């Protein structure tokens, strides 16, 4: 059990990154409209986040300091400020979307409007981040989020045209009635969802919370190479079940209740209950990640005391930033913007901000002053540079594709 819980940080980070509210619907909508023609994007995303998360975990385990702290020291306050501004905007907006996502999951369970749940969810989140130990949060919500495995089980219970699915995966491209612009818009959004900036900052800061040292390098790699592929698998299962149920009918998916339908069709009420529980755990876990990440990055930039390993009164500014971020997220939702639409916008903005996040990590991971002989090897640098080029391409393409396709509406 201890060995299993050792990868809880990676599981929580991966589930929060791959299956938050926007990704839940985005993967399902992609499956409904394109089948599994975007399966390659998930694979590319998993490899990319594994490459950079491994760097971040190694940097922290060796140096004992979070990546963002070293970015400011190594590259200077101006570069770090640009990094902070881009990632913080995306993270706060994503936090608002996740609060709305938890509300939508509770609405699905209770039929009470999600906006009525949002203040309650925000208060519970604040109390949890203020009082509950980091290890408890990561273990409870990381493990509970695994309930989304119900979509893997559901796929094998659903009648599916395996030949057609293989054709979609092997020959990616737009389905009948779709165009290449929309196809690539979804590709960029799904790629950005796999490499959202807060993931590496949360993972790195969480490693400090767990007091990782060089003896924990194996734990770090197990977290990365088990947790993130598992998150990618759950995202792929959402795409697969949607492709099996909705794509043959030429139906679109744009609500959480529709996303849950394949589990309900395959497994009945038990499948529906498991899907709702999984949605709740995944979105609440993502809300915790984004909430903590706002405090981590701001406190690390300004050199404040931070973290849940400190008593709240000894890290008051850190917790104040987290509280302000939660309140900002609630304020955004109270404009009545749809949480799913909000996350779709944040995915586009995230794609634009990706180079500001990943270039500094690559630089720090090659600095012998911090890592000694544990700097990047040839494979890590090859992957790092390759993905940096992909990230730059996604950043350049994101906004034009958003405008041309009207947020994927065609």
């Amino acid at each position: 059990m201890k060995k299993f819980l050792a990868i809880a940080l990676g599981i929580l980070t991966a589930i929060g990154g791959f299956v938050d509210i926007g990704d839940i619907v985005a993967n399902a909508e992609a499956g409904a409209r394109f089948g599994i023609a975007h399966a390659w994007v998930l694979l590319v995303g998993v490899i990319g986040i594994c490459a950079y998360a491994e760097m971040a975990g190694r940097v922290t385990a060796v140096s004992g300091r979070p990546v963002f702290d070293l970015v400011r020291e190594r590259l200077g306050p101006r570069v770090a400020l640009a990094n902070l501004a881009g990632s913080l905007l995306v993270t706060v907006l994503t936090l608002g979307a996740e609060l709305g996502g938890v509300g939508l999951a509770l609405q699905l369970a209770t039929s009470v409007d999600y906006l009525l749940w949002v203040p309650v969810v925000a208060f519970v989140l604040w109390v949890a981040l203020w009082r509950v130990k980091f290890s408890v949060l990561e273990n409870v919500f990381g493990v509970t989020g695994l309930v989304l495995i119900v979509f893997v089980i559901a796929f094998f219970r659903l009648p599916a045209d395996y030949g057609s699915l293989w054709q979609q995966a092997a020959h990616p491209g737009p389905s009948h009635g779709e165009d290449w612009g929309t196809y690539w818009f979804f590709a960029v959004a799904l790629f950005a969802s796999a490499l959202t900036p807060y993931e590496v900052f949360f993972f790195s800061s969480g490693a400090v919370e767990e007091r990782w040292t060089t003896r924990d390098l194996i734990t770090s790699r197990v977290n990365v190479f088990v947790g993130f592929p598992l998150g990618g698998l759950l995202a792929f299962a959402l795409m697969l079940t949607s492709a099996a149920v909705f794509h043959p009918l030429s139906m679109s998916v744009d609500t959480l209740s529709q996303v849950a339908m394949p589990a309900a069709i395959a497994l009945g009420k038990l499948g529906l209950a498991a899907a709702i529980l999984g949605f709740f755990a995944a979105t609440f876990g993502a809300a915790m990640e984004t909430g903590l990440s706002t405090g981590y990055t701001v406190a690390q930039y300004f050199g404040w005391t931070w973290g849940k390993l400190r008593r709240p009164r000894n890290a008051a500014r850190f917790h104040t930033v987290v509280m302000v971020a939660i309140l900002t997220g609630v304020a955004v939702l109270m404009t009545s913007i749809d949480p799913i639409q909000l996350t779709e916008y944040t995915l586009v903005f995230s794609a634009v901000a990706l180079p500001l996040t990943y270039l500094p990590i690559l630089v720090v991971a090659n600095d012998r002053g911090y890592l000694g002989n544990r700097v990047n090897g040839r494979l890590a640098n090859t992957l790092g540079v390759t993905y940096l080029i992909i990230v730059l391409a996604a950043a350049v393409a994101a906004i034009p594709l958003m405008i041309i396709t009207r947020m994927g509406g065609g």
Side-chain angles (χ1 to χ4, degrees), residues 230-270:
L230 184 56
L233 172 64
L234 297 179
F236 184 50
L238 290 165
M239 184 184 292
L240 266 175
T241 53
S242 184
V245 173
F246 300 114
H247 186 63
L249 303 175
S250 299
M251 291 178 60
S252 62
V253 172
D254 52 19
T255 67
L256 201 60
S257 59
Q258 289 175 306
V259 179
M261 280 182 62
I265 292 171
L267 301 166
K269 293 182 179 179
L270 183 61

Side-chain angles (χ1 to χ4, degrees), residues 26-65:
N27 278 284
E29 186 177 1
R33 293 176 63 173
F34 299 95
I36 59 169
H38 287 100
W40 66 272
V41 180
L42 293 180
L43 178 60
V44 170
V46 167
I47 296 172
I49 191 60
C50 282
Y52 275 96
E54 190 280 328
M55 293 182 208
R58 175 161 37 90
V59 166
T60 299
V62 173
S63 69
R65 296 167 62 187

Side-chain angles (χ1 to χ4, degrees), residues 150-164:
V150 68
F151 285 93
V152 177
I153 299 169
F155 173 71
F156 291 105
R157 295 288 299 271
L158 290 168
D161 185 342
Y162 294 101
S164 177

